[in-house]
Amino acid sequence: MGAWSRRRKALTAGGVLVGIWLVVVGYLLVDASLALGDGAGSLRSVRRRATVSALVDPSTRDDVVAARGRFSHASSRLDNPLLGPLRLVPVVSRHLAAARRLAHASRDGASVADRSLSELGDLVEQPHSTGAQRIALLRDLGALARRASSRLERIDVGTDRSLVSSLGDAVGELSSQRDEASQGARRLDVVSRTLADILDGPEPYLLLGANNAEMRNDGGMFLSAATLGLDHGSLHLGTVRPTADTVLPAGSIAVPAELARNWSFLDAGRDLRNLGLTADFPQSARLAVANWAQVPGGARTAGVIVVDVDAIRSLLRVVGPVTAGGTRYTADNVREQLLREQYRRFAGDRAERRDQLGQVARVIFDRLQHGQWDVAELATQLSDAVQGRHLMVWSSDPKAERAWRSVGADGHLTDRSLSVALLNRGAEKLDSWIRTRADVRGAPDRSGRTRLTVTYRVTNGAPATGPAYLVGPNVTGLSAGDHRGFVVVHLPAGSSEITMTGARQFLAGHDGPTEVVGGDLVVRRGATATVTVTALLPSGRHDLVIEPSARIQHTEWVVEGHAYDLDRRRTVAVGS
């Protein structure tokens, strides 16, 4: 009886100890899970506001440090010796090891982020008033990015194979985030070094001013042009000339066969205003370089930089208000001034009106060249302008062009691109009053492929009065405020059975890596017109790259019922 009692007490005590151990194990695992969740939440908050200005803000680094602390806490919980017995259970041990690697990798990633943010904060405080200092800053930024990429690549996230879904998903997500961050750092390295080389000179670039009041396919019409000299980090802007004064004789520039076939009624190469017929900007850029080399007083250039009204707006946020031609321009009023007011103010003086974009750009470039400005804010604003296609850069040097392409700055299309544009053909400046919306949907076809439908709505909110140069009519058959345009839609390569209704179709063919269709459209003042394009996507194609329109007001995109507030390049899924 005594022996049984002792055994029962021992079993009871053992059971109590096991129970306590299970409670402690449960607590450690739950606490580690919560800490990982807290840390991940802090980093998601950082990624959502990951502009350069935000990254150098002390609060961002505070969030990263907090995340690292939570990941370290999770690591200590999962490394606790009390969890040792779990490593003897085959399936459980695999998941525990994966969780430990996840916590350690998260902690190490946050440490890399913290260190990089510290280095970035020091970097943006370096002097940058001289050309040599600006080049040195860019090269230092490239080196910082290389170090960050190397550190990230050394982090072992482990594999998500043979894990329960929640843990496997977490490992997969962290692995993707590490790879994305490392690739982003490598792109930053390449772009920084490329920009430093270009600023060092001596080859100049062609600077084109695009006005969104009169739209083309890849942005605003190119209404002004100048040679931008680059010399050891210094900028020298030549005479800004109206492109109406630089038209070459017919046939001066050879136009690629595909572009010439699609736009046979226009000689795109001779007139910079006729570029932008394709949304694939590198095609237009090559023609612009060839054109400018033949324009009297032009130059041979190594590439093209395009800035439109919103790019100027972004730069005004950096340099502050400027005065040009007696008018004060700010980030708040520049749209109204350059899209509308200049045409009212100089309605009877064509030469003065033409000079406004050039004058504003010149003052801004002078500020950038000689003034004190915030490096982080400039980087943030330029990045934002690139994402909206308001700033584009193309280089004839293959290495430099690869750098611009890698960050989407060259305005290229891909074989998955979907672009919808409304080209102004009314010879007026009504585009800032035109609202556009593109609804995109996909549905399975009997063949198993996806039938794509793009419904494009154009609403004309133009005024009935104003100078003819601003509101028209400048085309026979129209009244003041009426708008004539070409609706041009680029579709993924290999799309077939393409149809267009709602506009008089004049274009169907190939354009670079895409298929293209276009139609002539008149939208009366106060009216809404609808154009519908359908196409059968290639087999297996469900993902599309939506291309920004650079319109002001921007095109509203609705994909499978989901509306996007910003007109940015993004990958979306349809019909899946």
Side-chain angles (χ1 to χ4, degrees):
M1 192 70 182
W4 167 246
S5 177
R6 286 193 297 273
R7 283 197 300 272
R8 187 172 61 182
K9 289 179 179 179
L11 289 171
T12 301
V16 169
L17 290 176
V18 169
I20 294 174
W21 176 77
L22 289 174
V23 170
V24 172
V25 165
Y27 168 76
L28 291 173
L29 293 177
V30 170
D31 192 38
S33 176
L34 292 174
L36 284 171
D38 290 345
S42 295
L43 289 188
R44 275 193 291 271
S45 175
V46 170
R47 284 196 297 274
R48 279 196 296 269
R49 61 180 194 273
T51 65
V52 178
S53 294
L55 290 177
V56 298
D57 188 295
S59 64
T60 299
R61 193 176 176 199
D62 290 343
D63 287 343
V64 171
V65 170
R68 184 183 63 188
R70 297 304 290 157
F71 291 142
S72 295
H73 180 77
S75 296
S76 68
R77 290 298 193 229
L78 295 172
D79 290 340
N80 194 299
L82 287 174
L83 300 182
L86 295 181
R87 301 186 184 109
L88 302 177
V89 184
V91 174
V92 174
S93 66
R94 182 172 67 248
H95 286 77
L96 179 60
R100 292 177 66 227
R101 275 196 301 270
L102 177 66
H104 295 167
S106 300
R107 176 198 61 201
D108 295 344
S111 296
V112 171
D114 180 32
R115 185 172 178 181
S116 299
L117 289 178
S118 175
E119 294 176 356
L120 181 62
D122 293 339
L123 184 63
V124 299
E125 294 301 323
Q126 291 183 12
H128 51 271
S129 58
T130 69
Q133 289 172 339
R134 289 191 282 270
I135 290 175
L137 188 150
L138 284 168
R139 298 202 188 285
D140 288 346
L141 179 60
L144 185 160
R146 280 197 303 280
R147 290 193 297 272
S149 178
S150 177
R151 292 165 184 158
L152 287 168
E153 289 172 354
R154 289 197 295 268
I155 295 175
D156 178 19
V157 179
T159 178
D160 58 358
R161 291 195 300 271
S162 301
L163 299 177
V164 294
S165 59
S166 57
L167 182 57
D169 290 345
V171 171
E173 181 183 0
L174 182 61
S175 179
S176 297
Q177 290 173 355
R178 179 204 58 190
D179 294 344
E180 181 181 333
S182 179
Q183 291 164 9
R186 287 200 298 272
R187 287 194 296 270
L188 177 59
D189 172 31
V190 172
V191 170
S192 298
R193 288 187 285 119
T194 299
L195 186 54
D197 291 341
I198 289 173
L199 287 178
D200 205 15
E203 294 180 303
Y205 269 58
L206 169 61
L207 178 68
L208 293 175
N211 197 314
N212 313 72
E214 190 169 0
M215 292 297 293
R216 288 293 180 259
N217 200 348
D218 60 1
M221 181 187 282
F222 304 143
L223 295 180
S224 59
T227 301
L228 179 62
L230 304 161
D231 180 26
H232 300 298
S234 295
L235 309 176
H236 305 284
L237 187 61
T239 302
V240 180
R241 302 167 63 184
T243 53
D245 296 344
T246 66
V247 180
L248 297 173
S252 297
I253 305 298
V255 178
E258 200 169 73
L259 194 61
R261 183 169 55 252
N262 289 340
W263 300 92
S264 57
F265 54 94
L266 292 173
D267 186 352
R270 68 188 291 253
D271 189 342
L272 291 171
R273 295 171 300 173
N274 278 344
L275 296 181
L277 300 175
T278 171
D280 189 37
F281 178 66
Q283 295 186 57
S284 297
R286 293 185 190 96
L287 289 175
V289 166
N291 176 291
W292 194 244
Q294 293 194 30
V295 168
R300 294 187 179 278
T301 54
V304 183
I305 301 172
V306 173
V307 293
D308 70 3
V309 172
D310 262 15
I312 290 177
R313 187 186 189 209
S314 293
L315 291 173
L316 285 171
R317 292 192 177 107
V318 178
V319 304
V322 302
T323 299
T327 300
R328 187 172 186 266
Y329 294 89
T330 70
D332 293 329
N333 76 0
V334 68
R335 281 180 165 180
E336 183 69 19
Q337 289 294 330
L338 292 183
L339 295 175
R340 300 174 181 177
E341 285 303 315
Q342 68 161 324
Y343 301 114
R344 294 190 180 106
R345 192 164 57 247
F346 300 112
D349 193 334
R350 191 180 185 199
E352 284 295 324
R353 180 185 65 238
R354 285 181 176 180
D355 284 343
Q356 295 310 295
L357 273 171
Q359 287 187 26
V360 177
R362 178 172 294 284
V363 177
I364 290 174
F365 271 78
D366 285 344
R367 288 275 187 92
L368 290 172
Q369 172 66 18
H370 302 295
Q372 294 294 319
W373 34 267
D374 185 80
V375 173
E377 184 63 19
L378 177 63
T380 295
Q381 293 299 329
L382 291 181
S383 175
D384 186 64
V386 164
Q387 290 182 57
R389 207 182 175 97
H390 300 296
L391 169 66
M392 293 187 288
V393 186
W394 175 86
S395 177
S396 59
D397 176 72
K399 181 180 177 182
E401 172 55 16
R402 284 195 296 272
W404 303 132
R405 186 181 182 90
S406 72
V407 293
D410 71 339
H412 72 278
L413 298 184
T414 76
D415 61 1
R416 298 182 296 143
S417 288
L418 173 63
S419 169
V420 185
L422 180 65
L423 286 68
N424 188 315
R425 290 298 291 172
E428 21 72 1
K429 310 294 181 185
L430 291 180
D431 276 287
S432 68
W433 282 288
I434 305 298
R435 296 182 60 185
T436 57
R437 169 176 167 141
D439 284 271
V440 182
R441 291 189 179 274
D445 185 77
R446 285 175 299 180
S447 65
R449 295 159 65 184
T450 297
R451 176 76 62 179
L452 182 72
T453 300
V454 180
T455 306
Y456 190 56
R457 293 179 177 85
V458 181
T459 301
N460 184 350
T465 60
Y469 195 80
L470 177 62
V471 302
N474 299 308
V475 174
T476 302
L478 300 185
S479 302
D482 292 345
H483 186 66
R484 180 187 176 193
F486 290 159
V487 176
V488 179
V489 180
H490 291 261
L491 296 155
S495 297
S496 59
E497 300 182 19
I498 300 170
T499 68
M500 170 178 273
T501 58
R504 183 180 61 82
Q505 185 174 336
F506 67 91
L507 169 62
H510 304 288
D511 186 336
T514 67
E515 314 299 332
V516 66
V517 61
D520 196 345
L521 179 72
V522 172
V523 189
R524 302 293 179 181
R525 183 179 63 85
T528 295
T530 300
V531 177
T532 302
V533 172
T534 66
L536 195 60
L537 296 179
S539 179
R541 172 65 67 212
H542 299 288
D543 56 324
L544 306 176
V545 177
I546 301 292
E547 302 291 350
S549 68
R551 296 189 65 88
I552 307 172
Q553 312 167 55
H554 71 258
T555 296
E556 179 187 359
W557 286 93
V558 181
V559 181
E560 300 290 9
H562 178 78
Y564 293 95
D565 292 333
L566 296 178
D567 193 10
R568 296 285 189 268
R569 172 179 270 196
R570 65 185 78 243
T571 299
V572 299
V574 294
S576 57

